[in-house]
Amino acid sequence: MSNDDGADGAWPGRSAGRLDAVDRAIIAELLRDGRISVRALAENVHVSRANAYARLTRLMDDGVITGFTAELAPHRAGLGTSAYVSITIEQNSWRAVSARLKEITYVEHFAMVGGDYDVLALVRAPDNAALRHVVLERVQDIPGVRATRTWLVFDEARGRGAAWGAVPGA
């Protein structure tokens, strides 16, 4: 017989722990404004300042919130060329390839994926020459990388993302 709660408190079939409505509201507020004060955060989610601070600390300690950062407009910040680079790697080389990708300037994000390719990386560079250097001289030089394919980004927009203020499953 199955139990609704896993031993670690995670929802069945999910790897994340439970977040109540206040936790979700805190996350929604922080995603809207990462510079919000704890006082304003508490007021906006209708809890005491001590409760907001304790919850924020717990969310950070539990690894739900992993940091705070500024959002940049890449073109305005001097990164005029963006591309997605798919990477085919040798079997069992993910850890080594991942470690090397972390060291490459202009590689903003990468993930192991399923499908025709093994890794998908987002590269934001100042220009095409820098992008070429990253792909042809840095990424393709990593032991375990078998092939790459590059797609230039002509325009981009942010999606809605998760509805953190909403109740899960609603």
Side-chain angles (χ1 to χ4, degrees):
M1 181 175 255
S2 69
N3 185 353
D4 283 348
D5 289 329
D8 61 358
W11 295 343
R14 297 189 184 193
S15 59
R18 289 188 186 196
L19 300 175
D20 66 16
V22 175
D23 290 337
R24 296 177 67 79
I26 287 171
I27 291 168
E29 287 294 320
L30 289 170
L31 288 172
R32 187 182 58 74
D33 179 5
R35 295 179 55 175
I36 192 171
S37 69
V38 174
R39 182 176 146 255
L41 178 63
E43 289 173 5
N44 291 356
V45 300
H46 310 292
V47 297
S48 71
R49 195 168 21 173
N51 188 353
Y53 184 79
R55 284 174 177 266
L56 183 57
T57 300
R58 179 181 45 80
L59 289 168
M60 290 187 299
D61 289 347
D62 289 351
V64 174
I65 296 173
T66 59
F68 300 88
T69 186
E71 288 186 36
L72 296 177
H75 285 81
R76 291 183 181 247
L79 301 175
T81 300
S82 295
Y84 285 98
V85 179
S86 63
I87 306 166
T88 304
I89 62 175
E90 294 173 359
Q91 191 172 8
N92 297 321
S93 65
W94 165 246
R95 285 183 184 89
V97 170
S98 173
R100 293 284 300 272
L101 286 171
K102 289 177 185 177
E103 299 172 358
I104 299 175
T105 303
Y106 303 129
V107 173
E108 184 171 307
H109 173 82
F110 60 91
M112 180 190 296
V113 297
D116 293 336
Y117 306 100
D118 302 308
V119 180
L120 187 61
L122 174 58
V123 178
R124 295 193 190 277
D127 52 36
N128 286 351
L131 174 64
R132 180 188 183 287
H133 174 76
V134 168
V135 175
L136 299 181
E137 298 177 33
R138 298 295 313 275
V139 173
Q140 288 186 2
D141 192 43
I142 297 172
V145 169
R146 294 176 44 211
T148 62
R149 186 166 185 182
T150 303
W151 290 276
L152 287 176
V153 174
F154 296 125
D155 195 11
E156 58 188 306
R158 280 183 135 337
R160 181 176 175 187
W164 287 106
V167 177

